[in-house]
Amino acid sequence: GSCKKAGLLLWRKLMPIVPYDQREGFIWLNGQLVPWGDARVHVLTHGLHYASAVFEGMRAYDGQIFKLTEHNQRLHESAKILDFEIPYSVAELDKAAREVLRANKLADAYVRPIAWRGSEQMGVAAQATKINLAVAAWDWGSYFDPAARTKGLRLKIAHYRRPDPRTAPAKSKAAGLYMICTIEKHRAEREGYADALMLDWRGQIAESTGANIFFVKDGVLHTPLPDCFLDGITRRTVIGLAKQRGLKVIERAILPEEMADFSECFITGTAAEVTPVSEIGPYRFAIGDITRNLMDDYSALVHRAKAGTAKIAAVG
Ligand code: PMP
């Protein structure tokens, strides 16, 4: 029974998956599709040593990449914030992502563009480095255990906090900003939680390690103002969907103690989609109608984006 199930889950977790550098297919690298195994970097690469790298994560549904252009625009912005310019236009990046999907015969997939500084210069200064760009895609089902959609996620409150925007380039989807996320995700998983809730430098609620957060109180949605973390594309989409349902959405500073008065909670992100949260530290949440409706609306929207009703996708 449950013992067998627990064993299966453990096996899944420990079973070696095919390493990401040893898969089959094609990756778009600096202007062309190359065989998967040929998309390599040298150990003396600025991006590796100094985290001069920015990336994106998008999902394709039924062969159509949701919010493709918005993601590639954000990639451009992220690079600018890190003081480099991506040598391909947003339109070229859109085209590259579609080519990668086609070459790998993927319809439902996660798409990962990444831009990084190369090997032409080592040291903090990097003006002479070439900017590299790769786009890969792979099959990536549910980001969390699919049971979370019905049971909700358990989150642990993180030790590290999202930095003050004067301390880090908070608006950039920069590789370096994920350092504390990995530490906190590991700490949470070690203790049996699915993820961590990060507060910000002021002690206000910020986000999880890879998704934005929403709460429900008396039929109204409350979500933190994204002033020191990513204003997620999914976050903005869900705010639009909520408003279409006539729901009120309040973006404001939220203190952790307020969680005692919230009835529902969910997180939003490209990988996480809309996933309910059942527990954060000592606080408990129900998976209520608002969460369920928004999960359904989001799912319908990302799949409908294909059917030529792209206007609906313009919400938020
Ligand atoms: N915050 C963090 C730290 C993330 O990694 C992500 C995923 N990109 C998000 C929020 C949500 O962003 P989006 O909805 O644009 O995927």
Side-chain angles (χ1 to χ4, degrees):
S2 71
C3 188
K4 205 167 168 186
K5 197 175 154 206
L8 187 70
L9 284 175
L10 186 70
W11 174 78
R12 274 210 199 112
K13 213 165 172 84
L14 299 177
M15 198 198 64
I17 55 166
V18 181
Y20 280 89
D21 59 347
Q22 289 168 33
R23 298 186 174 199
E24 301 283 322
F26 297 91
I27 290 175
W28 195 94
L29 178 64
N30 293 331
Q32 56 186 17
L33 286 169
V34 300
W36 195 281
D38 295 349
R40 300 197 164 275
V41 292
H42 193 268
V43 290
L44 296 180
T45 294
H46 198 277
L48 178 63
H49 293 243
Y50 302 98
S52 51
V54 294
F55 67 96
E56 267 308 316
M58 29 208 196
R59 268 190 193 271
Y61 297 90
D62 311 325
Q64 206 71 24
I65 301 170
F66 187 63
K67 305 274 185 188
L68 171 63
T69 302
E70 285 90 332
H71 281 282
N72 282 327
Q73 278 165 346
R74 188 169 69 184
L75 188 71
H76 263 246
E77 286 306 308
S78 294
K80 272 201 196 101
I81 295 169
L82 263 58
D83 199 35
F84 68 84
E85 187 105 26
I86 293 176
Y88 304 95
S89 68
V90 169
E92 285 170 320
L93 296 178
D94 287 358
K95 188 161 165 272
R98 290 195 198 100
E99 280 175 21
V100 169
L101 271 194
R102 216 176 307 125
N104 292 287
K105 299 186 170 56
L106 290 165
D108 294 275
Y110 182 79
V111 184
R112 167 60 57 83
I114 180 161
W116 71 96
R117 288 188 182 275
S119 305
E120 295 75 11
Q121 202 176 353
M122 284 301 268
V124 174
Q127 297 91 336
T129 53
K130 181 187 148 196
I131 305 306
N132 296 276
L133 195 289
V135 187
W138 58 87
D139 186 356
W140 214 17
S142 179
Y143 183 69
F144 293 103
D145 178 353
R149 293 185 74 78
T150 49
K151 292 200 319 208
L153 298 170
R154 294 177 61 240
L155 308 187
K156 181 189 161 63
I157 296 175
H159 296 199
Y160 276 107
R161 292 179 169 197
R162 300 307 309 172
D164 182 334
R166 292 168 297 187
T167 305
K171 289 284 159 196
S172 174
K173 195 167 166 63
L177 291 172
Y178 286 86
M179 177 176 62
I180 57 173
C181 298
T182 298
I183 295 169
E184 293 299 345
K185 180 96 178 172
H186 286 189
R187 198 197 312 276
E189 288 191 349
R190 245 191 326 270
E191 295 175 28
Y193 293 89
D195 205 342
L197 171 74
M198 302 188 82
L199 304 181
D200 71 13
W201 55 290
R202 294 160 295 205
Q204 298 167 4
I205 291 177
E207 57 171 0
S208 76
T209 63
N212 294 116
I213 194 156
F214 287 79
F215 299 95
V216 177
K217 183 183 172 184
D218 302 326
V220 174
L221 283 164
H222 297 254
T223 191
L225 272 166
D227 59 5
C228 60
F229 53 86
L230 278 186
D231 177 9
I233 291 168
T234 319
R235 177 187 182 278
R236 297 200 298 265
T237 302
V238 166
I239 288 175
L241 290 169
K243 288 184 176 165
Q244 278 187 348
R245 275 195 173 266
L247 291 168
K248 196 169 165 197
V249 183
I250 305 175
E251 297 180 68
R252 63 175 179 89
I254 301 174
L255 292 170
E257 309 85 81
E258 291 186 60
M259 288 194 284
D261 298 324
F262 295 147
S263 56
E264 301 178 34
C265 174
F266 58 87
I267 57 171
T268 65
T270 297
E273 302 175 298
V274 180
T275 305
V277 173
S278 59
E279 180 181 331
I280 302 177
Y283 307 104
R284 299 290 178 273
F285 311 99
I287 303 170
D289 288 342
I290 291 182
T291 302
R292 261 190 235 108
N293 286 339
L294 291 171
M295 287 167 75
D296 290 347
D297 288 356
Y298 186 74
S299 175
L301 176 64
V302 296
H303 288 101
R304 211 182 315 158
K306 182 193 165 145
T309 49
K311 269 200 201 104
I312 299 167
V315 297

